[in-house]
Amino acid sequence: MSNIKVYKGTSNYSSDVICNLSDAKILKKLSNYSSDIICYVKSNKIYKGTSTYSSDVLFTVSDGKVYKANSSYSSDIVLTIKDWKIYKGNSTYSSDVLATIKDSKVFTGSSSYSSDIQFRIDGNVIIEEFVAIWYAVKYCF
């Protein structure tokens, strides 16, 4: 299986690859070294590094809701993903849109302007993989 690359903005240059997805692992830039694994997707959980210990769960994804760690409490929802929009917390209000996903591009807020593209994913990903990519882009770089 080939790697899915995540690029800054509208770039296609390999020098602008933020991270890549390979075999359910998010790795730094174009790396394929195990020491460069940022997080790992298994089932509906995103784990820190290569761990699969319950204490290393970063997020749990269920029905478009992204929970902190192993939680399933509504108070622990950090993101809601619905209708190609990413919302803050448990909200689906337009004022709480953090990003919009369109044509494999992630735009700031509700924008669809090319100048507002945060990053681009060069392949199809499932929601858990997207959350892992979002985490890597937003919190690791």
Side-chain angles (χ1 to χ4, degrees):
M1 182 178 148
S2 64
N3 290 10
I4 292 176
K5 295 172 192 70
V6 180
Y7 294 88
K8 290 180 200 168
T10 58
S11 178
N12 286 318
Y13 296 112
S14 59
S15 60
D16 286 332
V17 171
I18 302 168
C19 60
N20 77 86
L21 169 67
S22 178
D23 298 323
K25 296 181 253 334
I26 306 295
L27 297 107
K28 295 176 186 173
K29 300 192 179 273
L30 291 169
S31 178
N32 60 3
Y33 295 111
S34 60
S35 61
D36 287 335
I37 295 172
I38 298 165
C39 55
Y40 174 67
V41 178
K42 185 176 179 189
S43 193
N44 69 329
K45 309 235 183 247
I46 293 101
Y47 294 87
K48 184 177 181 182
T50 58
S51 175
T52 54
Y53 292 114
S54 61
S55 60
D56 288 330
V57 173
L58 295 167
F59 304 103
T60 301
V61 181
S62 179
D63 296 324
K65 306 284 186 189
V66 180
Y67 298 86
K68 286 187 228 173
N70 267 316
S71 180
S72 58
Y73 293 109
S74 60
S75 60
D76 286 334
I77 296 172
V78 291
L79 298 172
T80 298
I81 302 172
K82 183 179 180 192
D83 299 330
W84 304 106
K85 303 252 186 229
I86 302 163
Y87 298 89
K88 197 182 323 177
N90 197 20
S91 175
T92 53
Y93 291 115
S94 59
S95 61
D96 289 330
V97 173
L98 296 172
T100 300
I101 306 161
K102 184 178 179 190
D103 300 326
S104 298
K105 298 174 186 83
V106 179
F107 296 83
T108 301
S110 294
S111 177
S112 59
Y113 294 110
S114 62
S115 60
D116 288 332
I117 296 172
Q118 296 178 29
F119 60 93
R120 181 179 67 78
I121 303 169
D122 78 343
N124 295 322
V125 296
I126 61 172
I127 188 169
E128 292 84 0
E129 292 169 337
F130 177 82
V131 171
I133 290 168
W134 176 269
Y135 165 76
V137 170
K138 292 294 180 182
Y139 301 106
C140 299
F141 295 100

